[in-house]
Amino acid sequence: RRSAWLRPQWLAATHRFQNSVRNWGSNRSHSTDMSTRTAIYAITGNGFSALSVGFCTLRHQTPTASLRKRGSLLIWLDKDMTWTAPHVGSPGRPAVFSDAAIQFCLSIKVLFKLPLRQTTGMVASLLKMAGLDWEVPDYTTICRRQKTLAVQIPYRRADGPLNLLVDSTGIKFLGDGEWQARKHGVQGRRQWRKVHLAMDTATSDIRAVEFTSSSDGDSPVLPDLLAQIPQGNDIGTVTADGAYDTRRCHTAIIDRQATAIIPIRKNGRPWKEDCPAAIARNETLRATRHYGRAFWKRWTGYHVRSRIEAKMRCLKAFGERIAARDPDRQTAEIHIRIALMNRFSALGTAKIVRVA
């Protein structure tokens, strides 16, 4: 509790902020609405300081309609889609169904969290409602083809250089659930896999993904993520946490003519400046020591990295665990999830802007 002389200043600052928000709301167009109003106040040793920062979520008619499409049950099938596989003339029995057909079946499986047999039944119903007499792959065919499927992940191209956000998360594929393990203890093996993602900040699309074992670290995977970006696409910045503060990561970023926004570890020391990556990293270390870690993060925009952590929640919205047991099939299942996430992002996302 503070002294009484702070109350008039607190009330005055509150009224000023509310009036500014109210004036902004009266001048905005009818197609937008303010859904979030936030005021931040700080009481310091010298008195009261008001940091009146307001944020609002602009919900235009077009993004609102796009977000509603995410819950729509309408499934559009292209009649010109190559459902059967072309004959390639290679030895052995030729494939009957194309990769697009197998990916469509697996997308239905992941989206509705269905086993393989129920997936074939739902695909047959969708084809029947669409008036298509296409043959449905057997569940054994889908399982076998999933191991060698090259999943096509759609993404949108943004203007200008890419600003990538990199992070990783773990996903379980074997073992008891969290509640059962806490209630009755761990009764068997619990195994995990790691998913490494690189997201474009402009489109919120996942541009690169790697699937590794739980024993692999984060920093060795970053060069492989950057290698998935075509050489013709310029990379502006790569934002990651302190686990990527290694020579390998900084060198891979410098080789792509990009800027690394990676905080120095708390026990970090200057590197020997024998390469451009070490020079750039030492500049970050000097700036962090001079201005402080908190100011450096605000100045570089490091906190935008929270968006990639939100994408991890979207990834696990399809299920806290993956159904496949084979590593190749697990990779295909993760790629299917990424493809669905990019489809959802293309339908529309809310836009958050700063108003004060």
Side-chain angles (χ1 to χ4, degrees):
R1 295 182 180 180
R2 298 293 174 177
S3 57
W5 70 270
L6 289 176
R7 295 180 182 178
Q9 299 183 21
W10 181 83
L11 293 175
T14 304
H15 292 160
R16 286 197 303 270
F17 175 72
Q18 292 178 349
N19 292 333
S20 63
V21 171
R22 193 176 296 109
N23 295 334
W24 179 88
S26 61
N27 296 330
R28 72 183 191 273
S29 61
H30 295 287
S31 60
T32 62
D33 68 308
M34 173 172 287
S35 60
T36 304
R37 298 176 181 176
T38 305
I40 302 176
Y41 302 97
I43 298 179
T44 61
N46 298 328
F48 180 86
S49 60
L51 308 175
S52 56
V53 181
F55 293 91
C56 72
T57 302
L58 300 181
R59 295 180 179 176
H60 300 270
Q61 295 179 357
T62 302
T64 300
S66 301
L67 292 174
R68 290 175 179 173
K69 292 180 181 179
R70 296 188 179 188
S72 176
L73 291 178
L74 295 178
I75 298 179
W76 179 76
L77 293 173
D78 187 6
K79 295 184 178 181
D80 297 331
M81 172 184 175
T82 304
W83 188 261
T84 58
H87 184 67
V88 295
S90 59
R93 181 183 177 182
V96 178
F97 301 96
S98 63
D99 290 345
I102 301 300
Q103 182 171 343
F104 171 75
C105 296
L106 290 176
S107 299
I108 296 297
K109 175 184 181 299
V110 172
L111 184 60
F112 295 98
K113 303 177 183 179
L114 298 174
L116 286 173
R117 291 175 175 85
Q118 284 84 337
T119 300
T120 57
M122 186 169 187
V123 171
S125 300
L126 294 175
L127 295 179
K128 183 179 180 180
M129 288 187 294
L132 301 174
D133 57 350
W134 295 345
E135 184 181 359
V136 180
D138 189 70
Y139 73 94
T140 57
T141 302
I142 299 176
C143 181
R144 184 177 64 255
R145 292 282 299 277
Q146 181 180 355
K147 186 174 183 178
T148 58
L149 179 65
V151 179
Q152 301 296 323
I153 301 178
Y155 61 86
R156 294 166 292 170
R157 297 183 181 273
D159 298 333
L162 294 175
N163 296 318
L164 299 178
L165 307 177
V166 180
D167 203 354
S168 64
T169 185
I171 188 167
K172 185 169 57 178
F173 74 95
L174 185 63
D176 300 332
E178 299 298 331
W179 172 251
Q180 184 177 359
R182 184 173 182 177
K183 184 73 174 180
H184 305 286
V186 179
Q187 300 178 358
R189 294 183 303 167
R190 306 178 70 189
Q191 297 188 13
W192 304 75
R193 292 286 187 265
K194 293 187 69 173
V195 183
H196 308 261
L197 302 179
M199 186 186 77
D200 181 16
T201 58
T203 61
S204 298
D205 289 344
I206 302 299
R207 294 298 305 269
V209 55
E210 284 288 338
F211 189 71
T212 63
S213 63
S214 58
S215 60
D216 293 343
D218 294 344
S219 58
V221 185
L222 181 61
D224 298 332
L225 290 174
L226 298 181
Q228 296 183 21
I229 307 298
Q231 293 293 334
N233 294 357
D234 297 333
I235 302 177
T237 60
V238 177
T239 305
D241 56 22
Y244 298 87
D245 183 26
T246 61
R247 284 184 175 269
R248 179 182 300 180
C249 294
H250 283 277
T251 302
I253 295 172
I254 291 296
D255 291 342
R256 295 300 301 266
Q257 305 297 322
T259 302
I261 304 180
I262 301 175
I264 307 300
R265 300 179 182 181
K266 293 186 178 180
N267 59 347
R269 296 292 183 269
W271 291 350
K272 182 180 179 181
E273 297 185 354
D274 53 355
C275 62
I279 297 175
R281 190 262 185 187
N282 289 343
E283 290 292 338
T284 301
L285 177 61
R286 283 189 287 268
T288 303
R289 289 180 174 177
H290 182 74
Y291 296 104
R293 181 181 294 267
F295 178 82
W296 178 86
K297 289 183 177 181
R298 292 195 301 268
W299 176 60
T300 58
Y302 170 78
H303 294 295
V304 76
R305 197 185 63 86
S306 60
R307 294 178 55 187
I308 187 65
E309 296 184 359
K311 276 293 181 181
M312 302 301 181
R313 182 191 61 82
C314 298
L315 178 69
K316 296 182 180 180
F318 296 102
E320 290 292 335
R321 67 173 66 198
I322 47 182
R325 295 293 180 264
D326 182 79
D328 295 331
R329 294 184 176 90
Q330 291 174 350
T331 302
E333 183 175 345
I334 291 297
H335 287 182
I336 290 291
R337 293 191 182 194
I338 299 300
L340 292 174
M341 290 167 53
N342 288 354
R343 292 289 187 185
F344 287 157
S345 298
L347 292 177
T349 55
K351 182 180 180 181
I352 300 176
V353 297
R354 183 171 178 171
V355 298

